Amino acid sequence: TEPPNNQRTYDDMRLLVLTALVALSAAAPQYGYSAPRELDSAESVEVTAAPVVRSGYAAPRSLDSAESVEFIPILQDVRDHDEDGSHNFEIETGNGISISQSGDSYGNKQGVISFTHPDGTPFYMTFVADGNGFQPESSALPVAPAFPHPIPEFVLRQIEFARQEDEAAARAAASAPRASYSAPSSSEEDYNRKKRDAPYSVARSLDSDESFEVIPILRDVRDHHEDGTHNFEFETANGIAVSESGDAYGNKQGVISFTHPDGTPFYMTFVANEDGFQPESASLPVAPAFPHPIPEFVLRQIEFARQEDEAAARAAASAPRASYSAPSSSEEDYNRKKRDAPYSAARSLDSDESFEVIPILRDVRDHQEDGTHNFEFETANGIAVSESGDAYGNKQGVISFTHPDGTPFYMTFVANGDGFQPESASLPVAPAFPHPIPEFVLRQIEFARQEDEAAARSAASAPRASYSAPISSEEYN
């Protein structure tokens, strides 16, 4: 019966390995071999005991068992090598293995390998090895199935898994700082062609009913100069467009536009300079007009918070205070303290209480006669304050620390002619306005107004308890 394909492939591989071993052995100097002889038949030679041949290979020795070893003579061994690398060789053994190869000075090779499988099936293969790689040809080699052909389900799952891994890696790479940019579109004509002919790539099917789109990048123009000036334009086929330009002083301006999934367009311009990031868009929320009436219940909450703050301040004032050590003498000392001793050890008091000595890691103060100033202050427990100001009284700075529960606090501020303007994600946000005022609040407001009016009328009609100074005699006359 015909052996299975996988068995034939396995036999082919074993014989190819055998062929390579025969070629390797044939390549060794044949000091101890006699001239090849003709065999009348497929006789076998029993090797019992033979002396060692010092100048070549030792003769086979007898085995402990009754096994026999077949000696395969080399019938032909022709080798020709030139100094430029060109070569030709032919090898043939007594059991029908034949290998021939020729090559030129450029490393290109061609040849033939043939032998007979143990089941009598002949094997014949030609090959070429050049700049295009190793190219074998043989009817015995396995042939890939015709394409397209049904892909097994487990293969499709592996392909999908690999795609998801690639997308995750791409997202991770996109979020990391990039050291290089891809080449922008080569020309305006190429940009217009992409936008006209390929607005969207065709989605391909997955194992499930889902599909995804590959969105082409229509424009990617980036221009960076050593002095910091830059300009870039970025646009995708699904309508996302971003452009930005900046000067050598760090000022930037640009435009961002796209379309929401529900079809609503978004368009925003922005400027970023010493006054901060200033976006403009009809899509951005608008703060309520100020001043506006504050509901009574809000006022009560504000008053309640004030009283709590005062109580907390009184409690803190009566508690043992932490003392601060002298500021660090140098930058090296500052770094050492921050690395090795973020907190000083607490020392015992006469009572069971103890307090921490918090080192001051940085205390830099610079004041000029015209009022300009700069200072940086940092303690080992994470409190950091920095502020700078000009001769006109304008100030800006940063305050950061960590709450006892581990929540970080970070706030920037500007203080100028427009007042104190803090910015922090930790600050409370006023509710959107206008908003409906509950009826009971309106009744309380009206009741308070009526009480105020009644008190004013009562005060106006009551007898006065104070008298004016007496008039002088001249004024009396």
Side-chain angles (χ1 to χ4, degrees):
T1 61
E2 185 73 17
N5 287 337
N6 56 354
Q7 181 62 38
R8 287 285 302 278
T9 303
Y10 177 68
D11 292 341
D12 290 349
M13 294 302 297
R14 289 197 303 172
L15 287 172
L16 282 174
V17 172
L18 175 62
T19 302
L21 292 175
V22 170
L24 180 63
S25 64
Q30 306 291 319
Y31 299 112
Y33 284 100
S34 59
R37 62 186 180 84
E38 297 289 339
L39 298 180
D40 298 335
S41 64
E43 58 181 329
S44 64
V45 178
E46 179 104 14
V47 179
T48 55
V52 175
V53 181
R54 297 294 182 184
S55 60
Y57 290 89
R61 62 182 179 84
S62 60
L63 303 177
D64 296 336
S65 66
E67 295 178 0
S68 63
V69 177
E70 195 174 6
F71 179 79
I72 309 299
I74 297 176
L75 305 181
Q76 182 165 358
D77 189 353
V78 178
R79 311 184 188 215
D80 182 15
H81 287 264
D82 294 324
E83 294 183 356
D84 63 354
S86 59
H87 64 277
N88 179 72
F89 73 79
E90 298 180 13
I91 298 176
E92 184 177 358
T93 63
N95 60 349
I97 298 174
S98 175
I99 303 176
S100 64
Q101 179 180 299
S102 61
D104 58 25
S105 58
Y106 300 100
N108 302 313
K109 300 178 180 63
Q110 58 185 356
V112 176
I113 299 175
S114 65
F115 58 86
T116 302
H117 288 283
D119 63 358
T121 306
F123 178 88
Y124 183 85
M125 182 183 79
T126 63
F127 66 87
V128 174
D130 54 20
N132 297 320
F134 183 74
Q135 307 153 51
E137 287 190 7
S138 173
S139 60
L141 296 178
V143 179
F147 197 84
H149 55 80
I151 302 175
E153 182 67 23
F154 75 93
V155 175
L156 292 174
R157 288 197 298 270
Q158 288 294 329
I159 293 172
E160 172 61 14
F161 177 74
R163 183 191 67 77
Q164 294 173 356
E165 280 197 327
D166 290 343
E167 286 186 351
R171 287 193 297 270
S175 62
R178 295 181 178 272
S180 61
Y181 293 99
S182 58
S185 300
S186 57
S187 65
E188 188 72 19
E189 180 181 352
D190 186 37
Y191 164 70
N192 291 328
R193 178 186 60 77
K194 284 183 178 179
K195 190 168 185 178
R196 180 184 66 251
D197 300 337
Y200 291 95
S201 299
V202 177
R204 68 177 181 86
S205 299
L206 303 179
D207 297 337
S208 65
D209 295 335
E210 297 177 358
S211 63
F212 70 93
E213 279 185 309
V214 177
I215 310 299
I217 297 176
L218 304 181
R219 181 189 294 267
D220 189 354
V221 179
R222 312 190 189 207
D223 183 17
H224 288 259
H225 296 294
E226 293 183 357
D227 63 352
T229 58
H230 65 276
N231 178 72
F232 76 80
E233 298 179 16
F234 179 82
E235 184 176 358
T236 63
N238 60 347
I240 299 174
V242 182
S243 63
E244 182 185 299
S245 60
D247 59 23
Y249 302 100
N251 302 313
K252 301 178 180 66
Q253 58 185 358
V255 177
I256 301 174
S257 65
F258 58 88
T259 302
H260 289 282
D262 62 0
T264 307
F266 177 90
Y267 183 86
M268 183 184 79
T269 61
F270 65 88
V271 174
N273 53 27
E274 60 184 6
D275 296 325
F277 182 75
Q278 307 152 51
E280 288 190 7
S281 173
S283 303
L284 296 178
V286 179
F290 196 83
H292 53 80
I294 301 176
E296 183 67 23
F297 74 94
V298 176
L299 294 173
R300 288 198 299 271
Q301 287 295 329
I302 294 172
E303 175 61 17
F304 177 74
R306 185 189 64 77
Q307 293 173 358
E308 279 197 328
D309 290 343
E310 287 183 352
R314 288 192 298 271
S318 62
R321 294 183 178 274
S323 61
Y324 290 95
S325 60
S328 301
S329 58
S330 65
E331 188 73 18
E332 180 180 356
D333 189 37
Y334 162 70
N335 291 327
R336 179 187 60 77
K337 284 185 177 179
K338 189 167 186 179
R339 181 183 66 250
D340 302 333
Y343 290 95
S344 301
R347 68 177 182 87
S348 300
L349 301 179
D350 296 335
S351 66
D352 294 335
E353 297 177 359
S354 65
F355 71 94
E356 272 185 312
V357 177
I358 310 298
I360 297 175
L361 304 181
R362 184 188 294 267
D363 189 355
V364 179
R365 312 188 189 208
D366 182 18
H367 287 263
Q368 305 295 328
E369 293 182 359
D370 63 352
T372 58
H373 64 278
N374 179 72
F375 77 80
E376 298 179 14
F377 179 82
E378 184 177 358
T379 63
N381 59 349
I383 299 173
V385 182
S386 63
E387 180 185 301
S388 60
D390 58 24
Y392 301 100
N394 301 314
K395 300 179 179 65
Q396 58 185 358
V398 177
I399 300 173
S400 65
F401 58 87
T402 302
H403 288 283
D405 62 359
T407 306
F409 177 88
Y410 183 86
M411 182 184 81
T412 61
F413 65 87
V414 174
N416 53 26
D418 297 325
F420 182 74
Q421 306 153 52
E423 287 191 7
S424 172
S426 302
L427 296 178
V429 179
F433 196 84
H435 51 78
I437 300 175
E439 183 65 28
F440 76 92
V441 174
L442 294 175
R443 288 198 299 271
Q444 288 293 331
I445 293 173
E446 176 61 18
F447 177 74
R449 186 189 62 78
Q450 293 173 1
E451 279 196 329
D452 290 343
E453 288 183 352
R457 287 193 300 269
S458 175
S461 62
R464 296 185 179 272
S466 62
Y467 295 94
S468 61
I471 60 174
S472 63
S473 58
E474 294 179 358
E475 290 176 336
Y476 171 75
N477 293 328

